[in-house]
Amino acid sequence: MIVASMMESRQKALADSALFSGLPKPLLRNLADIAQEKQYRRGETIFLEGRISGGFYMVMQGQVKILKMSLDGKEQILYILGAGEPFGITPVFHGKGFPASAVSMTASTALHFPKGAFLALVAAHPELTLAVLSALCLRMRRLSTQIESLSLKDAPMRLAAHLLYLAEQQGNTMHVTLNIPKKQLANLLGTSPETLSRIFAEMSADGLLRVKGKRIELLRIEELKNQTG
Amino acid sequence: MIVASMMESRQKALADSALFSGLPKPLLRNLADIAQEKQYRRGETIFLEGRISGGFYMVMQGQVKILKMSLDGKEQILYILGAGEPFGITPVFHGKGFPASAVSMTASTALHFPKGAFLALVAAHPELTLAVLSALCLRMRRLSTQIESLSLKDAPMRLAAHLLYLAEQQGNTMHVTLNIPKKQLANLLGTSPETLSRIFAEMSADGLLRVKGKRIELLRIEELKNQTG
DNA sequence: ATTGTTCCTTGATGTATATCAAGAATTGAG
DNA sequence: CTCAATTCTTGATATACATCAAGGAACAAT
C-alpha cells in the first residue's frame, strides 16, 4: 500500500508539472513507473557539469539550482527550479555530458528518469516529444534573456527586471518575497553580494522599494519598470 | 525544369544540414516542397524580436546573425549561422513571438518553413521531432556556454576561447580566419570594438598571436588555452 | 586611380563593479 | 535559549572596460 500511494503522489506531481500536464493518465502512469525517487541534502551536488548523464530529473520538493562554475570558485546560476520543473534534459537527446552542474539549495526530493526507459517511452508515444520540445523552447527563451541581461543591462537594471519578474510570478505588484538568499540572488544576476546590497540600499534611498529581510515592498513599480531599460 | 532543379538543390541542402541529415529521402522531398526560398540583402532584417512567427528558417547561402538589441542600439549576438543552420525554431513549438532578431550579414538565401505545414509534417513523421530536439539541445548548450563566458570570464579569456573554437572548427591549430568583421566579433563576445582591438594588440605584444586583417596566426596555442580560464 | 564608406586602431578619460576588510545581523544546530 | 556559523551590510580601494574623439587603413564603387 505504501508503494501504491507513492506512485499516486508521483503521478500527481507529474500531472501538475508544466512538462507532463495534459498527457493521458496511462502515460503518466508509465512515467511514474520508470522514475526513481531521490533525496538530496541542502548544498548537495546532484550532478557535475561534464559528467555523462544517466537520465534527467524533475524536482518534487525543494529547490535546485543549475549553475556554471569557474576555476576560482565563482558561480553563475542559470536557473533556479522548484516543484514540477525538469532538469538535465539536454544530454538525453544530444548525447554528451551535462552542460552545467545541479546543486540542491534545500533538502529536496527529485524524480530521476533513466535515459533508456524514457527514450523507449518517447518512441512509443510521440506526443511526449512535443511536450519536451515545448519545455526546451521555454528554457531557451530564458537563456537568451539572461544573455541579453548580462551583456546589455547593468546590475541595477537586472535587479529591477528580476523583482518585476518575481512580482508577476507571485501575482502581487505591491511586494515580493525572495525565494533564495541574497548571495544566491547575486550569483543569479551575475554580480557580487556586495554590489547587490549596495543597489538595494540605493533603491531604498531613492524610495523605489523597502527591504525587510526577504520581503521587499515595491513602492514605485513604474519607476522600476523604467529602470529596466 | 528550372523548378525541378531548384527542388533538387533544396533537397540537397536539407540533406547536408545537421538538422535534417539522416532523414529518409521522401521526407526530405516533403520538406523541400513546403519550404519557400527567400533572398536577403546584406544588413537586411529577417525578423524582429517579439514579432509573431509564421514559421522557421534555414540558411542556404550567406551568414545570418541572431541578436538581442538594447534600447540605445547596442547589440549582443547570440549566434552566427551559416549554410544548413536553422533559426527561429522556438516559436514554432512554443507559441509567442521570436525571442531575438535575425539580420542577414551578407547577401543570403534562406528557406522558410511555414509553421502549419511543418507541424503537419511533424505529426505524420515523429522522427522529425527528434531531429529538432537534438538541434535545440545543441543550441542550449551554446547559450549556456555564452552565459558562462559573459559572467565568469573577462574579455581576453572570451577572445582566446573563441579563437580556439575557430581553430577547432577550421581544423587548423596554426592559424584561423575570422569569418566576420571585428566589430561583429566584439558584439558576439560582449565587448566593444575598441576593447577587442586593444586585446588583439596586447596578445600580439605578448607573442601569443599575429594579426593580419582577418587572418590570425596562433603562435602559442598552449598559452592561449591557459588564458581561457 | 579616386573617392567615399566602412572598418580598425590608438589615446585620454570616466565609471560601474569587483575585491578586500571588518563589523552587524540573521540563522540554525545543539 | 545560546553560541557558532552563515549571511548581510558598509567602507575604502583597485581595475577592467566603456565611451568619446580623431586619425589611419582597407575596401567597394565609380
Side-chain angles (χ1 to χ4, degrees), chain B residues 17-93:
Chain B
S17 70
L19 181 57
F20 295 131
S21 73
L23 292 178
K25 261 206 163 178
L27 187 46
L28 291 179
R29 173 75 211 223
N30 288 336
L31 285 164
D33 281 344
I34 66 170
Q36 294 155 1
E37 213 158 319
K38 304 207 175 191
Q39 308 277 345
Y40 300 97
R41 293 181 306 278
R42 178 180 131 95
E44 185 174 353
T45 295
I46 301 174
F47 56 72
L48 278 177
E49 174 176 356
R51 309 308 290 266
I52 297 304
S53 156
F56 76 97
Y57 301 77
M58 178 180 284
V59 181
M60 285 196 73
Q61 289 173 24
Q63 279 178 321
V64 171
K65 61 180 173 183
I66 310 298
L67 55 93
K68 290 272 193 176
M69 216 172 302
S70 72
L71 293 178
D72 53 325
K74 279 187 296 188
E75 71 180 49
Q76 170 65 46
I77 296 177
L78 300 181
Y79 320 100
I80 292 188
L81 305 174
E85 299 193 274
F87 59 103
I89 297 187
T90 61
V92 172
F93 293 97

Side-chain angles (χ1 to χ4, degrees), chain B residues 142-158:
Chain B
R142 280 161 76 174
L143 290 179
S144 301
T145 302
Q146 201 171 359
I147 290 175
E148 177 184 24
S149 288
L150 286 171
S151 168
L152 301 177
K153 299 178 199 267
D154 60 20
M157 285 167 154
R158 299 203 290 271

Side-chain angles (χ1 to χ4, degrees), chain A residues 193-207:
Chain A
E194 294 95 330
T195 297
L196 180 63
S197 186
R198 279 183 251 269
I199 295 169
F200 268 130
E202 177 128 353
M203 285 182 170
S204 297
D206 293 352

Side-chain angles (χ1 to χ4, degrees), chain B:
Chain B
M1 224 54 231
I2 287 175
V3 171
S5 77
M6 275 181 58
M7 291 306 296
E8 287 262 326
S9 78
R10 280 192 206 175
Q11 259 181 265
K12 186 163 185 325
L14 295 178
D16 288 346
S17 70
L19 181 57
F20 295 131
S21 73
L23 292 178
K25 261 206 163 178
L27 187 46
L28 291 179
R29 173 75 211 223
N30 288 336
L31 285 164
D33 281 344
I34 66 170
Q36 294 155 1
E37 213 158 319
K38 304 207 175 191
Q39 308 277 345
Y40 300 97
R41 293 181 306 278
R42 178 180 131 95
E44 185 174 353
T45 295
I46 301 174
F47 56 72
L48 278 177
E49 174 176 356
R51 309 308 290 266
I52 297 304
S53 156
F56 76 97
Y57 301 77
M58 178 180 284
V59 181
M60 285 196 73
Q61 289 173 24
Q63 279 178 321
V64 171
K65 61 180 173 183
I66 310 298
L67 55 93
K68 290 272 193 176
M69 216 172 302
S70 72
L71 293 178
D72 53 325
K74 279 187 296 188
E75 71 180 49
Q76 170 65 46
I77 296 177
L78 300 181
Y79 320 100
I80 292 188
L81 305 174
E85 299 193 274
F87 59 103
I89 297 187
T90 61
V92 172
F93 293 97
H94 187 258
K96 309 252 181 128
F98 292 109
S101 305
V103 173
S104 181
M105 298 179 74
T106 62
S108 64
T109 317
L111 290 178
H112 180 254
F113 299 84
K115 191 166 171 169
F118 184 71
L119 284 177
L121 217 48
V122 161
H125 304 272
E127 65 268 41
L128 251 182
T129 350
L130 282 179
V132 174
L133 258 179
S134 173
L136 285 188
C137 288
L138 181 60
R139 290 292 169 81
M140 288 194 69
R141 208 172 273 273
R142 280 161 76 174
L143 290 179
S144 301
T145 302
Q146 201 171 359
I147 290 175
E148 177 184 24
S149 288
L150 286 171
S151 168
L152 301 177
K153 299 178 199 267
D154 60 20
M157 285 167 154
R158 299 203 290 271
L159 174 58
H162 185 74
L163 292 176
L164 293 171
Y165 165 76
L166 286 181
E168 186 182 339
Q169 191 188 270
Q170 296 174 10
N172 189 330
T173 59
M174 298 305 294
H175 43 60
V176 299
T177 306
L178 299 180
N179 49 357
I180 49 172
K182 295 205 182 73
K183 182 183 172 183
Q184 301 296 324
L185 179 57
N187 287 338
L188 180 62
L189 296 179
T191 188
S192 66
E194 293 95 331
T195 296
L196 180 62
S197 184
R198 279 182 253 266
I199 295 170
F200 268 128
E202 178 129 352
M203 285 182 169
S204 298
D206 294 351
L208 291 180
L209 46 75
R210 196 172 302 154
V211 183
K212 293 173 194 152
K214 295 210 178 307
R215 197 151 190 82
I216 296 169
E217 218 179 323
L218 306 179
L219 300 175
R220 294 207 232 144
I221 202 158
E222 284 307 323
E223 298 257 341
L224 271 181
K225 278 182 188 153
N226 293 342
Q227 285 261 333
T228 293

